[in-house]
Amino acid sequence: MSFRLFIIYFFCMIGIFSQTTENWNKKGINALSQKDFLTAVDSFKKTLKDKPNDAFANYNLACTYSLLLAQCEDIESEVHIYHLIQEAIKSKPSYQKKLHTDSDFFILRGKYHFQKLSGKSKREILTSITWFGPSPGAYGPMDQFQFKEDGSFFYQKLDMTESNPIGKLEFTGRYKWINDSKLEIQFYDPSPMKEGGKNKNLRVNYSDGKLEIQGFDHSFTDDNDRCSA
């Protein structure tokens, strides 16, 4: 084969390859719009098999997995979804801004690592999500914190006493930052803390996706155990 013919053949193959990728992406987005999630998954994965850095396929495959996760169909882990988003942003940085408004990711919007991928700082993430305690039974998390930008917080815990079966107790307080990994909280009266812990500043260690709060025998994360029931 002459050099000229080789060049023609080479560019023809590139054109066929690009067309194939475009076709699989088009099929995937059409399936996604019709909520045919498994066909969408298969289509975007076929694009990524030949073109692993395709931003469109990475992003929309992450969208599809997120929508399946919302139905408690966790055919892929959250960690893998975050990897797909990261790859999409790497190839097309404008996708990062889209994360703030894309409704396909509504189920992940309350997750620490999703907020981190969207470009938020640790301090911004603290007030962007709800922090849940463990879920010992079928009633969901036993307690939770919500921090507000104005320095206040809201704490709620299950009350399963005979006088208030499966009710909720609510408390408020204020917090202040020590540094990006530490803060202090103080409950207003009434306080959920025992006598020794009332009206005192409680230390909070804030690592990636986890809060460890003085006086509590468990940590708090973004996991609300939504699909366990």
Side-chain angles (χ1 to χ4, degrees):
M1 180 184 296
S2 69
F3 181 74
R4 183 179 178 184
L5 287 175
F6 174 79
I7 293 298
I8 293 172
Y9 173 78
F10 176 76
F11 281 105
C12 283
M13 291 304 297
I14 289 178
I16 293 170
F17 174 77
S18 298
Q19 188 64 38
T20 301
T21 298
E22 183 179 337
N23 287 343
W24 282 122
N25 279 342
K26 185 177 180 180
K27 184 175 181 179
I29 206 67
N30 286 340
L32 182 57
S33 68
Q34 296 170 20
K35 299 184 179 180
D36 183 0
F37 299 132
L38 295 183
T39 297
V41 167
D42 184 62
S43 299
F44 294 131
K45 286 175 74 172
K46 283 178 176 174
T47 291
L48 294 174
K49 182 179 179 181
D50 293 326
K51 194 178 178 185
N53 297 326
D54 189 281
F56 186 90
N58 274 305
Y59 185 87
N60 284 286
L61 182 56
C63 289
T64 309
Y65 283 143
S66 177
L67 291 168
L68 284 167
L69 191 65
Q71 299 177 0
C72 295
E73 298 287 343
D74 51 343
I75 65 174
E76 273 296 349
S77 67
E78 283 185 29
V79 172
H80 184 62
I81 297 174
Y82 299 145
H83 172 73
L84 292 169
I85 295 172
Q86 196 168 24
E87 289 299 306
I89 293 172
K90 190 186 301 181
S91 300
K92 188 176 179 181
S94 61
Y95 274 133
Q96 185 176 59
K97 186 176 181 180
K98 191 175 180 181
L99 293 178
H100 295 282
T101 56
D102 195 330
S103 60
D104 287 348
F105 292 117
F106 75 93
I107 201 64
L108 294 176
R109 197 147 284 125
K111 299 292 187 175
Y112 179 91
H113 290 289
F114 180 85
Q115 293 288 340
K116 187 175 180 180
L117 280 171
S118 75
K120 289 188 178 181
S121 67
K122 285 182 70 175
R123 296 195 182 203
E124 290 172 323
I125 297 173
L126 181 78
T127 59
S128 297
I129 67 177
T130 301
W131 298 88
F132 299 100
S135 302
Y139 302 109
M142 61 189 296
D143 55 355
Q144 63 187 57
F145 276 92
Q146 288 180 300
F147 294 86
K148 299 180 179 179
E149 294 179 0
D150 64 2
S152 65
F153 71 82
F154 173 80
Y155 173 68
Q156 186 180 77
K157 64 181 292 189
L158 290 180
D159 178 20
M160 302 183 71
T161 60
E162 291 184 6
S163 61
N164 191 25
I166 319 177
K168 294 179 179 179
L169 298 173
E170 298 177 349
F171 306 89
T172 57
R174 294 197 64 79
Y175 71 93
K176 63 179 181 180
W177 288 99
I178 306 302
N179 55 50
D180 284 349
S181 299
K182 294 184 184 295
L183 52 148
E184 289 182 345
I185 66 171
Q186 183 178 39
F187 284 99
Y188 296 137
D189 284 328
S191 167
M193 309 305 293
K194 296 179 180 179
E195 285 299 323
K198 286 186 176 181
N199 302 317
K200 66 178 292 186
N201 291 330
L202 305 174
R203 295 186 303 276
V204 181
N205 291 322
Y206 179 23
S207 57
D208 266 10
K210 184 168 70 173
L211 298 179
E212 294 176 308
I213 303 176
Q214 181 184 0
F216 289 83
D217 61 3
H218 56 272
S219 58
F220 294 82
T221 69
D222 59 12
D223 184 9
N224 62 357
D225 203 25
R226 186 180 59 88
C227 294
S228 65

